[in-house]
Amino acid sequence: MSLTLPLLASAWELQGVKSLTVRPRDQAPIRIGSVTFEPRGDGRVAFRIELDHAQFTDHFLSMKEFKCLDGRVEIACHVPYPYAQPGTVAADDLAWLEHSLLFLYKLPTDFGAKLWNGLYFRFERSAQGLVGRPQAVDLNLISAPPAQLNIPPYRPALRDDIAPGARWIESVTIE
């Protein structure tokens, strides 16, 4: 019995190429790309995100081009983290991955980008991989470089939970 416990605990690992999928409300999941995880010798895992731009439409908002997912009720635009970051995670620290998958949302009728409508997907492990639930953030916080570039700026105190079903994208999964 003790031989099977480690196998069950390590069923899903931060290693290899994984599918990156958004799960919208009232729609089929949309595969938007992949995440490649490469373990390093220091206990950290390097990651690289590759978005499938064919799934996105281009929107020119507030003098900047965004790659967006068009929902019937809401548009969600990927906001690349604009500063150098290590591109690594650990089993108990997924912050840089979460910062790499920032989005903003807007209604189809809204003009421009409203950076206070930011979405931060906080990841938790599941048996199949990682599940990111949306939290509200103000993306204006990263309009200027943070004082410490080596610390992810969106700490828990700067994020607010979002009620289930309130946003078009209900979760992001990495499986």
Side-chain angles (χ1 to χ4, degrees), residues 6-7 9-16 18 37 125:
L7 294 175
S10 64
W12 192 90
E13 296 293 329
L14 292 169
Q15 184 172 333
K18 309 294 184 183
F37 293 102
R125 284 183 175 265

Side-chain angles (χ1 to χ4, degrees), residues 11-168:
W12 192 90
E13 296 293 329
L14 292 169
Q15 184 172 333
V17 179
K18 309 294 184 183
S19 183
L20 176 61
T21 304
V22 296
R23 300 190 183 281
R25 180 179 66 227
D26 301 328
Q27 264 183 276
I30 304 167
R31 186 182 183 283
I32 62 167
S34 63
V35 182
T36 303
F37 293 102
E38 296 176 16
R40 298 183 350 183
D42 62 357
R44 309 264 323 146
V45 177
F47 70 87
R48 186 179 67 254
I49 296 172
E50 293 186 37
L51 295 178
D52 177 359
H53 292 290
Q55 297 299 325
F56 293 81
T57 57
D58 293 333
H59 285 255
F60 196 72
L61 306 171
S62 302
M63 304 297 288
K64 183 170 169 59
E65 183 179 317
F66 288 91
K67 300 291 186 194
C68 302
L69 299 168
D70 288 322
R72 290 169 284 186
V73 296
E74 198 169 86
I75 296 171
C77 303
H78 179 245
V79 180
Y81 186 73
Y83 308 108
Q85 54 115 325
T88 60
V89 294
D92 61 346
D93 178 10
L94 302 171
W96 285 122
L97 176 63
E98 294 164 346
H99 279 69
S100 297
L101 291 168
L102 297 171
F103 283 79
L104 65 82
Y105 67 90
K106 64 184 241 56
L107 297 176
T109 56
D110 287 345
F111 180 77
K114 294 176 173 61
L115 294 176
W116 56 86
N117 286 340
L119 294 173
Y120 179 104
F121 289 90
R122 183 178 171 276
F123 284 105
E124 293 182 352
R125 284 183 175 265
S126 74
Q128 294 78 36
L130 299 174
V131 178
R133 302 282 180 218
Q135 293 183 308
V137 294
D138 184 348
L139 295 171
N140 286 301
L141 176 70
I142 58 173
S143 62
Q148 295 179 309
L149 289 173
N150 61 332
I151 298 174
Y154 288 109
R155 61 187 190 279
L158 296 175
R159 306 184 315 243
D160 293 308
D161 289 331
I162 295 175
R167 299 278 55 90
W168 175 62

